Amino acid sequence: MELIFLGTSSALPTKFRNHSAVALKAYGEIFLFDCGEGTQRQMSKIKLSPMKISKIFITHFHGDHFLGLPGIIQTMGFRGRKSPIHIFGPTGLGKIMEHIIKLGYFSLTFDIHVHEIKKGVIIEEEDYKIECCPMDHTIPNFAFSIIEKRKPKFLREKALSLGIKPGPDYGKLQRGQSVKIGNKLIKPDQVLGPERKGIKIVYSGDTRPSPEMIKFANEADVLIHESTFESKHGNKALENGHSTVSQAAEIAKKAKVNKLILTHISTRYKKTDQLEKESTKIFKNSVIAEDFMIYEVKRIGD
Amino acid sequence: MELIFLGTSSALPTKFRNHSAVALKAYGEIFLFDCGEGTQRQMSKIKLSPMKISKIFITHFHGDHFLGLPGIIQTMGFRGRKSPIHIFGPTGLGKIMEHIIKLGYFSLTFDIHVHEIKKGVIIEEEDYKIECCPMDHTIPNFAFSIIEKRKPKFLREKALSLGIKPGPDYGKLQRGQSVKIGNKLIKPDQVLGPERKGIKIVYSGDTRPSPEMIKFANEADVLIHESTFESKHGNKALENGHSTVSQAAEIAKKAKVNKLILTHISTRYKKTDQLEKESTKIFKNSVIAEDFMIYEVKRIGD
């Protein structure tokens, strides 16, 4: 499971940082969180094909978070994409997509499924679920979490002691189906361990430090949180609906996350040593994201 | 007068080439020809401010030539631009701009003047005029020329012999006004030399090799012409409404231009030595454009 930072700047792009976008390679899919202008080029620079994106999540409708959509959609059409794509975002996404698909001449060779989201679970698959939660910005902004639905451990010794031989029955039980051994019905919970915590990744979009985030990101393996300014520009953060590095680090601490990755860095910071110092002081396991940074998300413990 | 190549790729961006855009710094203005996705970032990379762009010319409505407009407009608003901007393009520009200004939340702090163009002179200023001419692509595409209106030489010796003393009268005559010396009326043409050819720059947009271009680019100082493919992919060029390098070079030769700059290079060409060889064989003074290439346009001769 890999997080690939495609754009880590705030409102304006710089030489080294493009507008917001983070890709997640997981569960045989590519998920894209935000899609600022130039995201398709960032992807091409690290040979990540937009054709493989299955789902795009837009946190809010400030241009630096979604103006890469028209180009990436037209490129998918140009390259003859057939598989549908799902795009999720706040109320108004439908209208915006109507405008986007009228921008010039191009072939739309695939279906676009538009989902306007409300707080709660927005995707429920066998392997994972995705939830969203409103945050606190100048306009509606949603944070997203993607949570692995980890299967419980199969208790082989217990299965053997119940007389179940290795083979197709093991698979059935693991998938939650009962099996018959002689005239005994064996239920899955007889051979499966307790529920196990799956990998949880949270992406904030743009937000003030929010108590909602502390709950939403609770015990996440990775929290990707905006931190547009350092503490001494706290007034600017407040004014523009953003967080400072310290505020984001406090959130991470209170939410008991494992790793904090800070992004959406103001153009005023050419170097980020000072920001990282500010963050690690409050929350040790934190890092300032850079464009093309790849973070391998690993399960902690068992 | 400087031409700054901001994007020289064809439909898809590459690591080294962004989508189409060329800036011209001249007459105290910045003119932008095409504005592919990511143009604002290309500009920021070479410290060229979008705030100083006065006029944008869109050749046609394929995404790689105009999808940078929403971002650049929102950035101008974000930075509090006050001066109006003029955008020129084929029929349909008005509708497209209506969609563009509905893409999300942003402040439009300045006026956008939209001009749908037809063949002929589209701008006439004291120092220059701009013309457009339809070319031959799969959808309507216009080429643009920007022509300096060069003032005739002031014949100082002749003025002195007519009894006009150096001073404000010289300026009046140079500006085309008559002056009275004693009871004699001196007309400008008595002290001005013959008309002089001003600098002419032509930009093709996407086009098949077109006889119209030979006339339109006649004796241009610089012709910027698309050349998506090398000759051996002539069938692909034909199929997609593009020119090969050789075809563009032939156009330059027939139009008797001074300098040919080739752009809109297919992603298949990582190196362009072969393309340049193909071009210079037919038209010696030619070069393959690269992103961030700056070409200083100088007057030839007097």
Side-chain angles (χ1 to χ4, degrees), chain A residues 11-12 14-19 37-38 40-42 61 63 66 71 74-75 78 99 102-105 139, chain B residues 11-12 14-19 37-38 40-42 61 63 66 71 74-75 78 99 102-105 139:
Chain A
L12 303 175
T14 70
K15 188 170 177 181
F16 297 109
R17 296 181 186 273
N18 199 46
H19 302 284
E37 181 181 353
Q40 63 162 319
R41 187 173 187 213
Q42 296 291 93
F61 298 125
F66 79 100
Q74 294 198 15
T75 287
F78 182 81
H99 294 303
K102 283 174 188 155
L103 294 178
Y105 300 81
I139 61 169
Chain B
L12 302 175
T14 70
K15 187 170 178 181
F16 297 108
R17 297 180 186 273
N18 199 45
H19 302 284
E37 181 182 353
Q40 64 162 318
R41 187 173 187 213
Q42 296 291 93
F61 297 125
F66 79 100
Q74 294 198 15
T75 287
F78 182 80
H99 295 302
K102 284 174 187 154
L103 294 179
Y105 299 81
I139 61 169

Side-chain angles (χ1 to χ4, degrees), chain A residues 58-98:
Chain A
I58 303 297
T59 57
H60 66 296
F61 298 125
H62 278 146
D64 56 320
H65 292 257
F66 79 100
L67 286 182
L69 281 179
I72 218 163
I73 286 169
Q74 294 198 15
T75 287
M76 288 169 181
F78 182 81
R79 293 178 58 183
R81 180 179 176 125
K82 290 281 170 277
S83 59
I85 194 159
H86 293 263
I87 306 180
F88 301 79
T91 304
L93 176 64
K95 269 274 170 229
I96 282 178
M97 289 307 301
E98 278 176 30

Side-chain angles (χ1 to χ4, degrees), chain B:
Chain B
M1 202 180 282
E2 277 180 359
L3 282 164
I4 303 159
F5 290 82
L6 298 166
T8 60
S9 192
S10 57
L12 302 175
T14 70
K15 187 170 178 181
F16 297 108
R17 297 180 186 273
N18 199 45
H19 302 284
S20 290
V22 185
L24 172 67
K25 279 171 87 168
Y27 312 112
E29 299 183 53
I30 294 180
F31 305 89
L32 188 62
F33 296 93
D34 282 331
C35 182
E37 181 182 353
T39 296
Q40 64 162 318
R41 187 173 187 213
Q42 296 291 93
M43 293 185 77
S44 90
K45 281 187 178 176
I46 50 162
K47 302 189 190 313
L48 191 65
S49 172
M51 303 299 271
K52 292 178 185 162
I53 298 170
S54 53
K55 300 175 178 89
I56 301 178
F57 304 88
I58 302 297
T59 56
H60 66 296
F61 297 125
H62 278 145
D64 55 322
H65 292 257
F66 79 100
L67 286 181
L69 281 179
I72 218 164
I73 286 169
Q74 294 198 15
T75 287
M76 288 170 184
F78 182 80
R79 293 179 58 183
R81 179 179 177 127
K82 290 282 170 276
S83 60
I85 195 159
H86 293 263
I87 307 181
F88 301 80
T91 304
L93 176 64
K95 270 272 171 233
I96 283 178
M97 289 308 300
E98 278 176 28
H99 295 302
I100 282 177
I101 61 165
K102 284 174 187 154
L103 294 179
Y105 299 81
F106 64 101
S107 304
L108 198 53
T109 55
F110 57 97
D111 288 332
I112 301 177
H113 299 280
V114 174
H115 308 267
E116 296 194 346
I117 55 177
K118 285 198 169 57
K119 182 178 179 165
V121 176
I122 53 172
I123 298 176
E124 183 97 54
E125 298 280 353
E126 201 190 325
D127 294 334
Y128 65 87
K129 65 174 179 177
I130 298 186
E131 290 186 41
C132 70
C133 183
M135 292 288 131
D136 178 15
H137 192 43
T138 52
I139 61 169
N141 174 86
F142 282 87
F144 294 94
S145 71
I146 174 160
I147 304 169
E148 184 189 16
K149 286 162 113 176
R150 199 172 160 203
K151 290 188 175 60
K153 205 168 177 179
F154 184 77
L155 308 171
R156 193 183 157 87
E157 296 303 318
K158 204 154 175 202
L160 288 170
S161 76
L162 286 166
I164 317 166
K165 291 198 182 101
D169 283 344
Y170 278 29
K172 281 185 188 165
L173 286 159
Q174 274 178 315
R175 286 194 299 276
Q177 299 164 25
S178 300
V179 297
K180 227 173 172 181
I181 302 296
N183 52 11
K184 270 196 300 183
L185 189 73
I186 312 286
K187 290 188 178 166
D189 58 9
Q190 292 178 262
V191 294
L192 296 178
E195 272 198 22
R196 294 192 289 186
K197 187 179 170 287
I199 290 175
K200 176 175 173 180
I201 297 166
V202 175
Y203 174 67
S204 72
D206 286 2
T207 184
R208 293 280 308 139
S210 161
E212 289 299 317
M213 182 54 100
I214 298 168
K215 282 184 272 175
F216 190 64
N218 183 46
E219 292 188 8
D221 292 85
V222 186
L223 168 60
I224 303 160
H225 201 288
E226 76 122 296
S227 67
T228 313
F229 300 101
E230 60 189 325
S231 273
K232 69 174 180 186
H233 293 120
N235 55 337
K236 283 196 185 299
L238 179 63
E239 206 175 297
N240 299 299
H242 291 300
S243 300
T244 65
V245 168
S246 295
Q247 287 166 339
E250 285 289 352
I251 294 282
K253 194 174 166 184
K254 286 176 186 158
K256 301 185 192 73
V257 309
N258 175 49
K259 176 89 181 177
L260 171 66
I261 304 179
L262 297 170
T263 188
H264 202 267
I265 310 299
S266 165
T267 53
R268 74 184 61 212
Y269 307 112
K270 307 292 174 228
K271 290 189 169 185
T272 53
D273 312 18
Q274 193 50 42
L275 304 187
E276 201 153 295
K277 217 166 151 185
E278 185 178 318
S279 179
T280 50
K281 212 166 151 182
I282 295 166
F283 188 81
K284 195 157 181 285
N285 196 11
S286 62
V287 67
I288 310 291
E290 285 178 10
D291 282 23
F292 307 120
M293 183 178 99
I294 297 177
Y295 180 77
E296 194 186 345
V297 188
K298 283 181 187 164
R299 193 173 288 131
I300 309 298
D302 69 323

